Amino acid sequence: MAVVKLFGAWLSPYVYKVIWALKLKGIPYEYIEEDLSNKSPLLLQYNPIHKKVPVLVHDGKPICESIVILRYIDEIWPQNPLLPADPHERAVALFWIKFADDKSPFISKLYRTDGEEQQVAAKECFEMLEVIEGHALVGEKKFFGGDEINMVDIAFCSVAHWLGVIEGFTGLKIFEPHKFPRLNSWIQNFKSIPVIKDNLPDTDKMSAVLKRRREMLLASKSS
Amino acid sequence: MAEEVVLLDFWPSLFGMRSRIALAEKGIKYEYKEEDLRNKSALLLQMNPVHKKIPVLIHNGKPVCESLIQVQYIDEVWHDKAPLLPSDPYQKATVRFWADYIDKKIYDLGSRVWKTKGEEQATAKKEFIESLKLIEKELGDKPYFGGESFGYVDVAFIPFYSWFYAYEKCGNFSIEAECPKLIAWAKRCMQKESVAKSLPDQQKVYDFILQMKKHFGIE
């Protein structure tokens, strides 16, 4: 019986954060793919409050919410630490992780909305990129974690991969490399890390599914 | 080197109260600086350039932003007294989950109770009460969320007690009638000096909310 189980959905950036953390630490796990339109009784039992993925189950005990899961993983398996040891540096890292967590939903709003609502989401995304470029990546660092990725890099994954795919099929242009040179370097560096590169949802498949989801969402809104 | 601790804050802030309580629990001497949010100080803008919000904890010149991060930082740095977080990783995950729930659900729903009216407010009130009942269930029969001792979730949630009267008056309902165990818990927390001296008077908060409603044009 697997000691570590992960309930996930192949499209969710929150799920990938957990996958990368487990792989970076070399933790074997059993992955269970959930159909989010038909959630399993087991998922609802393990996450009765939010009913969402990811859920990590360790020795039968569930942990919910991706950041809570990441911190748990980092504490149980201290090899390849994902947070700085110094309390102040850790507080700064946690600040950026919270910022990423608070702002990332606007990226998915880009494909779930249209008209004014979409414009608001686009503005929020653009401002988020400006903050990252101007405040988080200052100091010639290769990654938020320094020479190696850490939890902050993982937390910003939607910017690195999901944003580009969504811009592709919605026709939005929010991220432009020349406007965000530091962020552009970071994205290239982040996506060339083997654990990240080998564990990303297929761009074409994701594009097709999200585009269809967008069409259904917008159709149901107008009816 | 002498420890220099400054807290940039605003008296009715639920978030600022958390840090006040944590500092008091640890017996830390600090300078409290009241911010005028319509005229933010240069220090605040320098220490929290991203959000420009309070509370900001400044320890030996270095800022820590976001109240729950501040509470965890205080607990780590001053770890030899009154521990707020459990040491077991699974229990830590549980308390972090509930603090996150308080911020994502209870704060937003409470805000909607005083900021809206009519049907929107009725919906907000219903959902707010549901979320309070959920957290009351988590408390169970324990004296505190932390068990026998006052802990992280208690610190995260008790500030809301100072806003209960305002929510009740704005929404025309009684939290004690809906969640008697929560009120018993809150009164127990208020017996602690660290809490009593960190929370403002409920009437004062209600007067402040009335002013805010006038300012935002909400009847």
Side-chain angles (χ1 to χ4, degrees):
Chain A
M1 188 185 83
V3 172
V4 180
K5 296 188 192 203
L6 175 63
F7 290 78
W10 72 273
L11 270 177
S12 163
Y14 303 96
V15 170
Y16 282 89
K17 291 177 199 178
V18 180
I19 290 173
W20 296 326
L22 290 168
K23 286 193 186 279
L24 284 166
K25 291 177 182 267
I27 310 303
Y29 63 97
E30 182 195 337
Y31 178 78
I32 297 129
E33 177 74 18
E34 280 286 327
D35 173 1
L36 297 182
S37 60
N38 186 21
K39 292 169 183 177
S40 72
L42 208 49
L43 175 67
L44 299 177
Q45 180 198 320
Y46 283 137
N47 193 357
I49 290 167
H50 298 301
K51 306 176 176 51
K52 286 180 174 179
V53 291
V55 176
L56 188 79
V57 182
H58 183 210
D59 285 335
K61 295 183 293 193
I63 303 116
C64 308
E65 294 300 297
S66 62
I67 303 304
V68 177
I69 296 171
L70 290 180
R71 295 199 67 183
Y72 176 82
I73 290 171
D74 204 38
E75 277 154 21
I76 294 276
W77 297 286
Q79 67 273 27
N80 293 343
L82 296 175
L83 282 175
D86 172 73
H88 188 262
E89 283 175 32
R90 183 153 7 154
V92 174
L94 291 171
F95 173 89
W96 288 113
I97 290 164
K98 182 179 196 298
F99 179 84
D101 203 43
D102 288 345
K103 299 291 179 183
S104 295
F106 288 111
I107 295 177
S108 83
K109 270 207 157 165
L110 292 175
Y111 80 83
R112 289 174 190 274
T113 59
D114 62 355
E116 206 184 301
E117 234 188 310
Q118 192 191 49
Q119 278 175 35
V120 168
K123 183 167 175 282
E124 289 278 350
C125 287
F126 186 80
E127 284 170 4
M128 168 187 58
L129 299 182
E130 283 187 314
V131 169
I132 301 169
E133 181 78 17
H135 293 273
L137 275 170
V138 180
E140 308 302 330
K141 288 189 300 194
K142 194 171 175 202
F143 301 109
F144 295 98
D147 293 325
E148 313 229 349
I149 62 166
N150 75 359
M151 212 184 283
V152 181
D153 298 89
I154 291 172
F156 279 118
C157 67
S158 296
V159 172
H161 188 67
W162 279 257
L163 178 61
V165 173
I166 292 167
E167 282 177 309
F169 70 83
T170 54
L172 291 164
K173 202 95 195 83
I174 300 164
F175 173 77
E176 286 170 283
H178 68 275
K179 282 192 181 159
F180 302 102
R182 288 191 195 112
L183 199 45
N184 190 43
S185 294
W186 172 77
I187 292 171
Q188 309 307 319
N189 291 332
F190 180 70
K191 288 173 85 160
S192 44
I193 302 266
V195 162
I196 309 296
K197 193 169 67 165
D198 297 340
N199 297 282
L200 276 174
D202 177 76
T203 309
D204 293 334
K205 214 174 149 196
M206 180 162 59
S207 201
V209 171
L210 292 184
K211 197 168 170 218
R212 202 161 50 240
R213 218 184 259 181
R214 175 178 171 75
E215 283 158 14
M216 279 165 51
L217 275 166
L218 297 183
S220 70
K221 260 167 63 175
S222 56
S223 57
Chain B
M1 181 172 80
E3 299 275 22
E4 198 200 67
V5 182
V6 179
L7 182 69
L8 306 181
D9 200 352
F10 179 50
W11 70 268
S13 165
L14 293 164
F15 306 105
M17 287 177 220
R18 290 168 170 171
S19 303
R20 289 174 227 165
I21 295 168
L23 289 164
E25 278 287 298
K26 305 277 183 178
I28 299 160
K29 285 197 165 42
Y30 68 99
E31 186 189 349
Y32 178 93
K33 281 194 167 151
E34 185 74 21
E35 282 283 334
D36 175 0
L37 298 185
R38 295 158 303 179
N39 186 20
K40 292 173 181 178
S41 72
L43 183 62
L44 173 58
L45 300 178
Q46 180 201 336
M47 292 288 154
N48 192 355
V50 172
H51 299 303
K52 306 174 176 56
K53 285 182 174 178
I54 55 89
V56 180
L57 181 77
I58 310 171
H59 183 207
N60 294 332
K62 294 193 284 191
V64 178
C65 304
E66 299 297 334
S67 64
L68 291 178
I69 297 176
Q70 288 162 9
V71 173
Q72 289 177 77
Y73 176 84
I74 290 164
D75 201 41
E76 270 172 43
V77 173
W78 290 276
H79 50 81
D80 43 359
K81 189 182 172 187
L84 296 170
L85 275 102
S87 46
D88 171 70
Y90 189 75
Q91 284 176 29
K92 252 193 228 181
T94 305
V95 304
R96 285 181 183 139
F97 173 87
W98 284 105
D100 175 73
Y101 179 83
I102 289 163
D103 274 0
K104 285 198 175 120
K105 292 276 182 180
I106 298 184
Y107 179 72
D108 279 344
L109 291 169
S111 294
R112 273 166 42 200
V113 167
W114 72 263
K115 279 182 181 169
T116 63
K117 50 187 175 147
E119 215 181 291
E120 217 190 322
Q121 189 189 48
T123 309
K125 213 169 87 178
K126 180 169 167 283
E127 290 177 19
F128 182 60
I129 292 167
E130 274 167 21
S131 71
L132 290 179
K133 287 189 165 164
L134 200 68
I135 203 156
E136 189 184 47
K137 199 170 147 208
E138 172 60 19
L139 176 66
D141 291 316
K142 305 194 295 280
Y144 300 105
F145 285 95
E148 291 303 312
S149 42
F150 186 77
Y152 185 65
V153 179
D154 302 280
V155 175
F157 192 42
I158 191 59
F160 286 79
Y161 181 62
S162 67
W163 281 53
F164 276 4
Y165 180 67
Y167 293 139
E168 287 172 325
K169 291 285 281 186
C170 292
N172 192 29
F173 68 114
S174 160
I175 293 175
E176 183 153 22
E178 303 284 350
C179 303
K181 278 188 172 166
L182 268 188
I183 299 300
W185 160 81
K187 289 181 175 168
R188 190 175 301 123
C189 291
M190 287 296 285
Q191 305 211 323
K192 292 175 69 66
E193 200 191 331
S194 61
V195 176
K197 69 178 190 180
S198 301
L199 263 55
D201 171 66
Q202 294 204 27
Q203 180 67 51
K204 216 176 150 196
V205 171
Y206 179 51
D207 292 338
F208 167 74
I209 293 296
L210 287 178
Q211 261 178 48
M212 293 286 278
K213 279 165 76 101
K214 234 202 255 177
H215 178 75
F216 285 116
I218 310 159
E219 302 298 310

